[in-house]
Amino acid sequence: YEQVELYIKTSPNSDGKEDKFNLGNYKNIKYDCRSVSTDELINIYDSAHLFVFPSLGEGWGITCADAVSNGLLVISTKHTGLDDFINTKTAIEIYCKSKKIDFQGGWNCKAPIPDVKDMANKMRWCYENYNKIYEKYQPYASEWINTEFSWEKTTKKLVNIIFGEN
């Protein structure tokens, strides 16, 4: 897939150092987009066809909402803060397996781990059927975000989780 560009945003390892991938010598794969400017990031969004977000968990998941509202086809996990934006009208969900994770500081819990094979299959499926899939999700996805999402609804949901319904 030489005509496909892949941008990977990494996160630091538990030792605080950046992840380094042994991706080979591919001109069309760029990683660690944390260092790009806002203007460069907007250009990446504007030129993209697909936004893939295999997150373990998000506080708010606003990057997916940005991608959907900007008209991108989205493949994402759907847990923690992402459930405010990711549903059958806005995105293609990545299957997750529950696994015990030990986080830095001795905290551990079960977490939904994205299934890489499922994600890769969905990416390939979108590539091979892009127009049909895009027509299914857009403009409905961006319309859903623009009409159904509000910070007020999200805030009420959070308050209810913390304090119970009033």
Side-chain angles (χ1 to χ4, degrees), residues 1-6 26-29 120-129:
Y1 299 112
E2 289 181 22
Q3 66 275 32
V4 174
E5 288 185 350
L6 177 62
Y26 298 103
K27 296 182 284 191
N28 56 341
I29 298 178
N121 286 336
K122 287 175 177 166
M123 290 169 66
R124 184 179 304 109
W125 178 64
C126 286
Y127 177 79
E128 293 170 354
N129 301 283

Side-chain angles (χ1 to χ4, degrees), residues 51-93:
F51 184 85
V52 182
F53 202 69
S55 179
L56 292 174
E58 296 299 317
W60 295 108
I62 197 73
T63 52
C64 276
D66 286 344
V68 170
S69 65
N70 281 304
L72 287 170
L73 183 56
V74 172
I75 298 175
S76 179
T77 52
K78 181 191 168 188
H79 43 267
T80 62
L82 293 166
D83 67 353
D84 286 335
F85 311 111
I86 302 304
N87 60 52
T88 58
K89 293 181 181 181
T90 63
I92 299 163
E93 186 178 345

